[in-house]
Amino acid sequence: MGAVNNMTQQTNDTFNIAGKDFSSRLIVGTGKYKDFEETARAVEASGVEIVTVAVRRVNVTDPNQPMLVDYLDPKKYTYLPNTAGCFTADDAIRTLRLAREAGGWNLVKLEVLGDQKTLYPNMIETLQATEVLIKEGFDVMVYCSDDPIMAKRLEDLGCCAIMPLGAPIGSGLGIQNPVQIRLIVEQANVPVLVDAGVGTASDAAVAMELGCDGVLMNTAIADAKDPIAMARAMKLAVEAGRLAYHAGRMPKKLYADPSSPLAGLI
Amino acid sequence: MIEITLNGDPHQISEGQNLVKLLQELNLDPTKVAIERNLEIVPKTTYQDVTLLKGDKLEIVHFIGGGK
């Protein structure tokens, strides 16, 4: 009975962002790939439903360059415009207003960076931008520091997902802050996704085992020797971590505990 | 001809030109871009009605690959 129930549970294990159900708990970025073909193949292998995209000026001198939308169908994938590269609330707001007009949907990812070297979020600007965007009807997924007080504030402002970093963007250092991530997960009433820091599959599994609703990554896949294989590894790791979280891990013990019965030993 | 600023660079257009015409000239698909004019978003439905004026600052953007 267990197997059947678990299978059903797994199929129904969706999470909801801004009123829409998603069954893949992995979100991937579409930057840093060799070309659009590789981007498309990695996205396919990762099994995601949401991809992050950037908003940039069109090249008016060469408008016939290939476009991302020609390789990743916006009808098949939910495009999540993000404000990567914005260092002020004003720039982030402008970017997302343009994104909404370009795409025609309200779901966006806000990130306001504070420092070129660490790419740490500037939380003061992030809070300011959040207030304006929520007032303007955006559904805001927000990149933030791993401070539970900040995370709560962002949720109270109306963000539809809280996305703390696990390590600096693009560092691939893995989840450096399991305590903070767990605290944020425990208190949140909206999805929590680790956004940044994952380097390999086990990192993604760790994030999910902490109870995160999902993981967002880009470099870990794009900078792998074989991005397509890593995309699939990440898909499996997120699923495995989620299942392990639900399964409930065994308690840690200080000493050995044999798993074969001691009775009947010759 | 009048001069506007297009994506940060000076750009010459003929007087009385609207946004539909400009996008045609630039060979850009209006469904794939968004336009900001003097820091205000221009709704796609109004491109026909927006006549460009000397000194206008335009940003024309689209989605590209990007993560963080």
Side-chain angles (χ1 to χ4, degrees):
Chain A
M1 138 208 167
V4 175
N5 273 354
N6 285 344
M7 284 298 287
T8 319
Q9 202 179 17
Q10 198 185 342
T11 333
N12 294 334
D13 185 27
T14 59
F15 77 128
N16 188 291
I17 297 177
K20 202 172 164 197
D21 283 326
F22 295 96
S23 49
S24 169
R25 291 170 177 271
L26 178 60
I27 299 176
V28 296
T30 52
K32 291 189 173 176
Y33 288 97
K34 193 174 67 197
D35 50 34
F36 284 136
E37 277 92 14
E38 188 183 71
T39 313
R41 282 172 56 222
V43 168
E44 180 76 40
S46 70
V48 301
E49 293 158 299
I50 305 175
V51 294
T52 68
V53 295
V55 179
R56 291 292 182 269
R57 286 171 167 169
V58 297
N59 183 343
V60 287
T61 53
D62 185 11
N64 294 320
Q65 281 182 350
M67 281 186 170
L68 183 69
V69 289
D70 301 323
Y71 290 82
L72 288 177
D73 184 358
K75 289 190 195 78
K76 183 172 173 198
Y77 298 103
T78 297
Y79 269 43
L80 181 63
N82 81 77
T83 59
C86 291
F87 284 80
T88 65
D90 282 347
D91 282 348
I93 293 163
R94 264 181 87 193
T95 301
L96 291 180
R97 283 176 182 153
L98 278 164
R100 175 157 71 177
E101 189 56 32
W105 51 81
N106 293 326
L107 185 65
V108 293
K109 194 195 123 182
L110 172 66
E111 67 179 62
V112 187
L113 304 174
D115 174 63
Q116 199 72 252
K117 185 175 172 187
T118 62
L119 298 182
Y120 243 68
N122 180 327
M123 292 310 298
I124 297 159
E125 296 285 323
T126 300
L127 288 167
Q128 286 169 358
T130 300
E131 266 184 76
V132 173
L133 292 167
I134 300 275
K135 237 178 250 158
E136 293 186 10
F138 284 90
D139 295 317
V140 181
M141 301 175 75
V142 61
Y143 170 63
C144 57
S145 61
D146 62 9
D147 177 346
I149 310 303
M150 282 295 164
K152 191 74 207 156
R153 176 71 74 87
L154 289 166
E155 182 180 334
D156 291 345
L157 284 175
C159 289
C160 65
I162 307 296
M163 305 204 289
L165 76 171
I169 291 172
S171 70
L173 287 169
I175 312 301
Q176 297 293 306
N177 48 1
V179 174
Q180 290 92 319
I181 298 290
R182 180 179 51 81
L183 289 172
I184 291 170
V185 167
E186 278 176 11
Q187 71 178 9
N189 299 302
V190 295
V192 175
L193 295 89
V194 160
D195 180 7
V198 165
T200 187
S202 51
D203 300 332
V206 166
M208 296 308 293
E209 286 170 10
L210 287 168
C212 288
D213 296 277
V215 181
L216 193 158
M217 65 181 74
N218 190 158
T219 312
I221 296 175
D223 277 3
K225 270 189 198 149
D226 182 344
I228 316 303
M230 188 57 91
R232 182 165 147 70
M234 291 300 185
K235 171 187 194 283
L236 297 173
V238 167
E239 284 172 14
R242 179 67 183 172
L243 280 172
Y245 170 69
H246 270 315
R249 61 153 299 144
M250 62 163 278
K252 289 183 180 177
K253 295 169 196 167
L254 287 175
Y255 301 101
D257 180 10
S259 47
S260 304
L262 292 175
L265 267 172
I266 54 164
Chain B
M1 297 295 273
I2 56 168
E3 186 171 299
I4 61 166
T5 304
L6 176 56
N7 286 355
D9 293 321
H11 187 86
Q12 303 289 330
I13 56 165
S14 45
E15 221 168 326
Q17 191 164 346
N18 67 30
L19 284 176
V20 171
K21 205 83 196 179
L22 177 73
L23 290 177
Q24 272 169 9
E25 253 183 44
L26 294 171
N27 209 6
L28 289 171
D29 179 347
T31 63
K32 291 178 180 173
V33 300
I35 303 179
E36 184 195 75
R37 181 195 185 206
N38 303 327
L39 300 177
E40 299 273 342
I41 297 291
V42 186
K44 280 184 203 285
T45 49
T46 65
Y47 287 175
Q48 187 75 48
D49 311 322
V50 176
T51 304
L52 293 167
L53 301 173
K54 184 169 178 267
D56 272 354
K57 286 186 171 39
L58 284 191
E59 293 286 347
I60 306 182
V61 302
H62 65 155
F63 292 131
I64 65 153
K68 308 257 323 146

